């Protein structure tokens, strides 16, 4: 009885186990700069959603009599060459950037994960064919491949999304394949094969859920890259067609006036840098939080 009493007392003195959620949040929010990045992303999303209520002017209304105005009390960031309010166009441009970023990673993630899952699970000639195609695509930088596809497909938000989505597929495919090759050697996957579980069920139930952590991190980081790539395409005239408000096209329109009115180009450029940096900070923190070595720390 004495031994049992002492054992019970010892167990009661042990600190309570922290939940996975609390550990995740502790690592994820450990750095103040990450919290700042998270606030910036939330603010950007709110700007995009409530743009009609927040924008002080119609972003598409032209007034040539007020073209190229310097920042003032009425137009906080001035006006462009067509007399359109720059601040309002930046606010509406957040809609385009976030839409492009989200849809691009959905397309690239879905296609890439499917290719990587099938390729890694079955191996053999299926793996060889898929991976050689991915190698050919990844040999070109994402922006170069997107430019080539954009030149073929043309401008417009739909074509930009398709071009960037296809260009980003190889990263997801190769990462998923690597995860699958590791996970499919696990005992629970082998047990599923031995007990007659179908390949489709084994892939979707046992393999896929255990490969998602690095994919989630890649998605977060690629949101910023997709926004930056869209801005680059729009700057080169292969992206969003006017008069749609786009940060990249605004930088392109304003760079000719850098000496006389630098705000036209600098303001949307700063918006791109801030949002992309925020996505990278949050993605980096998410990677640390999902790292099993850190997740298991007390």
């Amino acid at each position: 009885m004495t031994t049992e009493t002492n054992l019970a007392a010892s167990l009661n003195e042990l600190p309570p186990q922290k939940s996975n959620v609390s550990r995740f949040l502790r690592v994820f929010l450990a750095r103040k700069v990450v919290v700042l990045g998270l606030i910036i992303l939330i603010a950007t999303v709110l700007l995009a959603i409530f743009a009609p209520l927040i924008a002080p002017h119609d972003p598409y209304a032209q007034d040539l009599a007020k073209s190229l105005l310097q920042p003032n009390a009425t137009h906080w960031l001035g006006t462009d060459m067509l007399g359109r309010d720059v601040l309002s166009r930046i606010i509406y441009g957040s809609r385009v950037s976030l839409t492009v970023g989200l849809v691009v990673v959905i397309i690239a993630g879905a296609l890439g994960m499917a290719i990587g899952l099938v390729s890694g699970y079955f191996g053999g000639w299926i793996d060889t064919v898929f991976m050689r195609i991915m190698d050919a695509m990844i040999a070109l930088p994402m922006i170069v491949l997107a430019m080539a596809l954009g030149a073929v497909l043309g401008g417009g938000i739909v074509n930009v999304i398709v071009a960037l989505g296809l260009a980003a597929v190889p990263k997801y495919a190769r990462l998923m394949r690597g995860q699958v090759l590791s996970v499919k050697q696990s005992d629970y996957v082998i047990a599923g094969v031995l007990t007659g579980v179908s390949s489709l069920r084994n892939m979707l139930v046992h393999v896929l859920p255990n490969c998602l952590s690095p994919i989630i991190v890649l998605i977060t980081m690629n949101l910023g890259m997709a926004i930056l790539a869209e801005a680059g395409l729009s700057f080169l005239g292969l992206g969003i067609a006017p008069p749609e408000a786009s940060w990249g096209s605004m930088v392109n329109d304003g760079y000719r006036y850098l000496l006389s009115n630098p705000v036209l180009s600098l303001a949307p450029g700063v918006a791109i840098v801030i949002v992309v940096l925020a996505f990278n900070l949050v993605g980096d923190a998410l990677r640390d939080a999902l790292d099993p070595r850190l997740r298991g720390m007390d």
Side-chain angles (χ1 to χ4, degrees), residues 95-166:
R95 286 184 157 188
V96 172
S97 296
L98 291 180
T99 299
V100 169
L102 288 173
V103 180
V104 163
V105 297
I106 290 173
I107 292 175
L111 291 176
M113 286 192 295
I115 292 172
L117 183 61
V118 172
S119 179
Y121 187 84
F122 290 105
W125 68 268
I126 295 177
D127 181 39
T128 301
V129 172
F130 279 151
M131 287 303 103
R132 295 300 76 78
I133 296 174
M134 294 299 103
D135 289 343
M137 294 177 65
I138 209 170
L140 293 174
M142 176 181 173
I143 187 64
V144 175
L145 183 57
M147 286 174 59
L149 293 173
V152 173
L153 298 175
I157 188 169
V158 175
N159 291 338
V160 169
I161 289 173
V162 171
L164 292 176
L166 293 177

Side-chain angles (χ1 to χ4, degrees), residues 24 28 38 41 101-102 105-106 108-110 112-113 171-173 175-176 179 207-225 278-291 295:
F24 172 84
F28 182 64
L38 199 59
L41 294 183
L102 288 173
V105 297
I106 290 173
M113 286 192 295
K171 291 183 179 180
Y172 292 91
L175 179 59
M176 175 58 76
Q179 292 296 310
V207 178
L208 179 61
N210 292 286
C211 299
L212 289 180
S213 292
I215 296 295
I216 293 172
V217 175
L218 182 61
I219 286 174
T220 306
M221 291 186 169
N222 268 10
L223 280 167
M225 294 179 61
F279 271 118
N280 288 339
L281 289 172
V282 172
D284 186 60
L286 190 61
R287 179 196 61 199
D288 294 342
L290 293 175
D291 190 327
R295 191 174 55 205

Side-chain angles (χ1 to χ4, degrees), residues 66 68-72 75-80 83-87 261 263-264:
K66 297 181 180 180
L68 299 177
L69 289 180
Q70 297 290 335
N72 55 63
H75 302 280
W76 290 3
L77 295 178
T79 60
D80 62 9
R84 298 172 297 190
D85 184 68
V86 174
L87 177 59
N261 198 346
V263 176
L264 292 181

